[in-house]
């Protein structure tokens, strides 16, 4: 009897040991209880959330939208008081008109300078002709003087006329050089005026851009978040006025690196969204992050110092949401998701 009781106790102990071992293997998903479905609760709906901010500083004159409103691309959202910017644009227009007038005046000066150069060149031709005439007269007087035909006074007059003709030619050459230098100065000044006109045109374009930037419009179709802008509020460049969320969401699931062995792009995924009452959606693996989340953190751990304890890292996996799912219209960025992926299913 005692021997029988001992055998029964031993059998029960062995059974309990085997059961405990089975439970441990099952809890840790060790063989023979390994499974191909990988699951994580570290997953969230993501979208292109764009913060709307002004490029200028000023007081808000008008806010034309409300919280959570649907908007279209190009729809007017907010207007900054544009009176100062409008006057700056007009001032830039007046400056451009002034610079353009000076450039036109420079063109007239250039034409006048070219005319003076031509006139100076004609004076040289005239002076050369007068010098030839005076030289010929002087040669005749010299020949007649040797024969005693002309008087001393005639010879003196001829010499003076020759010297005067030479001086006139030299003056004509000097006048031509002065005219050329004046024309060169006009040409150089014109380059500066052309640069001034281009600068005035650029200033006008900038003023018009600033004026246009006082009206802030939606960059694309989407839905607005909470409106932080108020009429009369003073804002500066970069002030967050509101956010716009376009359609087109995806899920980012942060799987442990020990779960990634069988995952491939194109594998189907099952998505359970808490906000939808457990409703299940389907999707597919679209891409894998090029690095783990720790590599993108601001403060990175330096594992080369001190004692080391291995910490399992997580890699973000982007999952696209399959189209034509009615519940997908209720998704919003930031919602929590539970993701399951069967790694036995082949990828794309």
């Amino acid at each position: 009897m005692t021997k029988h009781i001992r055998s029964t106790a031993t059998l029960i102990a062995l059974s309990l040991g085997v059961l405990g071992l089975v439970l441990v293997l099952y809890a840790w998903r060790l063989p023979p209880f390994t499974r191909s479905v990988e699951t994580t609760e570290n997953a969230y709906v993501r979208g292109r959330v764009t913060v709307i901010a002004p490029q200028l500083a000023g007081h808000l004159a008008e806010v034309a939208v409300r919280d959570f409103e649907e908007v279209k691309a190009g729809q007017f959202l907010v207007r900054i008081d544009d009176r100062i910017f409008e006057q700056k644009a007009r001032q830039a227009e007046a400056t451009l008109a002034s610079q353009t007038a000076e450039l036109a005046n420079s063109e007239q000066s250039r034409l006048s300078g070219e005319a003076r150069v031509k006139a100076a060149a004609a004076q040289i031709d005239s002076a050369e002709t007068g010098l030839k005439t005076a030289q010929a007269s002087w040669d005749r007087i010299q020949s007649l003087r040797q024969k005693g035909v002309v008087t001393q006074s005639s010879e003196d007059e001829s010499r003076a006329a020759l010297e005067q003709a030479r001086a006139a030619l030299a003056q004509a050459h000097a006048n031509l050089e002065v005219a050329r230098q004046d024309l060169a100065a006009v040409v150089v000044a014109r380059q500066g005026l052309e640069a001034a006109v281009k600068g005035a045109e650029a200033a006008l374009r900038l003023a018009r851009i600033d004026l246009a930037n006082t009206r802030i419009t939606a960059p694309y179709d989407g839905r607005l978040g909470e409106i932080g802008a108020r009429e009369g509020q003073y804002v500066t460049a970069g002030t967050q006025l509101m956010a716009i969320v376009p359609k087109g969401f995806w899920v980012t699931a942060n799987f442990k690196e020990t779960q990634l062995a069988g995952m491939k792009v194109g594998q189907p995924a099952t998505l359970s969204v808490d906000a939808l009452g457990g409703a299940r959606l389907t999707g597919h693996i679209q891409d894998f992050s090029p690095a783990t989340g720790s590599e993108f953190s601001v403060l990175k751990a330096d594992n080369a110092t001190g004692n080391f304890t291995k910490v399992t890292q997580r890699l973000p996996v982007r999952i696209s949401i399959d189209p034509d799912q009615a519940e997908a219209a209720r998704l919003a960025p930031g919602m929590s998701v539970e993701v399951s992926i069967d790694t036995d299913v082949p990828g794309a």
Side-chain angles (χ1 to χ4, degrees), residues 175-223:
N175 291 339
L176 176 60
E177 184 62 24
V178 170
R180 287 174 176 171
Q181 293 299 325
D182 290 342
L183 179 59
V186 170
V187 172
V188 172
R190 178 180 176 82
Q191 294 175 355
L193 292 174
E194 289 175 346
V197 169
K198 291 181 180 179
E201 290 174 345
L204 177 58
R205 285 194 292 270
L206 289 174
R208 287 175 175 171
I209 290 173
D210 286 343
L211 181 59
N213 285 336
T214 59
R215 290 178 55 86
I216 301 175
T217 59
Y220 37 67
D221 295 352
R223 188 176 181 186

Side-chain angles (χ1 to χ4, degrees), residues 146-160:
Q146 292 175 359
K147 296 178 180 179
V149 176
V150 297
T151 62
Q152 181 66 39
S153 61
S154 297
E155 182 181 5
D156 294 340
E157 290 176 359
S158 179
R159 182 185 294 109

Side-chain angles (χ1 to χ4, degrees), residues 2-291:
T2 303
K3 184 177 180 181
H4 177 72
I5 293 174
R6 289 179 179 176
S7 298
T8 303
T10 302
L11 182 61
I12 293 174
L14 290 175
S15 299
L16 291 175
V18 171
L19 179 61
L21 178 61
V22 170
L23 290 175
V24 170
L25 293 176
Y26 177 79
W28 288 88
R29 295 294 186 264
L30 297 175
F33 300 103
T34 56
R35 62 176 185 175
S36 61
V37 177
E38 299 293 348
T39 302
T40 183
E41 294 182 344
N42 190 344
Y44 305 91
V45 178
R46 298 300 185 196
R48 292 186 297 119
V49 180
T50 300
V51 175
I52 304 298
Q55 300 183 44
L56 308 169
H59 289 88
L60 296 183
E62 183 180 0
V63 179
V65 289
R66 56 177 175 78
D67 296 345
F68 316 137
E69 182 179 343
E70 291 278 349
V71 295
K72 298 294 183 181
Q75 181 176 334
F76 170 64
L77 303 177
V78 177
R79 179 173 64 86
I80 297 175
D81 187 358
D82 59 359
R83 291 175 297 175
I84 294 177
F85 301 99
E86 185 176 355
Q87 293 305 317
K88 286 183 177 180
R90 291 180 179 178
Q91 184 179 24
E93 290 175 355
T95 301
L96 176 60
S98 175
Q99 295 293 341
T100 303
E102 291 187 13
L103 181 61
N105 186 42
S106 174
E107 176 65 15
Q108 293 299 321
S109 299
R110 184 185 66 82
L111 295 175
S112 299
E114 291 178 349
R116 284 194 294 272
V117 169
K118 292 179 180 179
Q123 289 179 357
I124 290 177
D125 293 338
S126 177
E128 288 177 347
T129 301
L131 179 59
K132 290 179 181 179
T133 301
Q135 184 67 47
S137 177
W138 169 253
D139 292 341
R140 286 195 303 272
I141 291 296
Q142 284 292 97
S143 176
L144 295 174
R145 177 63 177 164
Q146 292 175 359
K147 296 178 180 179
V149 176
V150 297
T151 62
Q152 181 66 39
S153 61
S154 297
E155 182 181 5
D156 294 340
E157 290 176 359
S158 179
R159 182 185 294 109
L162 178 60
E163 294 298 331
Q164 186 176 6
R166 289 173 178 170
L169 179 60
Q171 184 178 4
H173 280 288
N175 291 339
L176 176 60
E177 184 62 24
V178 170
R180 287 174 176 171
Q181 293 299 325
D182 290 342
L183 179 59
V186 170
V187 172
V188 172
R190 178 180 176 82
Q191 294 175 355
L193 292 174
E194 289 175 346
V197 169
K198 291 181 180 179
E201 290 174 345
L204 177 58
R205 285 194 292 270
L206 289 174
R208 287 175 175 171
I209 290 173
D210 286 343
L211 181 59
N213 285 336
T214 59
R215 290 178 55 86
I216 301 175
T217 59
Y220 37 67
D221 295 352
R223 188 176 181 186
L224 298 177
E226 186 175 355
I227 306 300
R230 299 292 183 270
E231 292 185 7
Q233 175 185 358
Y234 183 80
V235 297
T236 59
T239 300
Q240 296 187 6
L241 303 178
M242 63 193 73
I244 182 171
V245 182
K247 295 181 180 179
F249 304 131
W250 65 91
V251 171
T252 298
N254 301 300
F255 283 96
K256 295 179 181 179
E257 54 187 329
T258 55
Q259 297 177 286
L260 300 172
M263 291 188 186
K264 300 179 182 63
V265 173
Q267 285 178 331
T270 301
L271 314 174
S272 177
V273 185
D274 296 345
L276 303 184
R280 292 187 175 275
L281 302 174
T282 59
H284 287 79
I285 295 179
Q286 185 176 7
D287 211 344
F288 294 89
S289 172

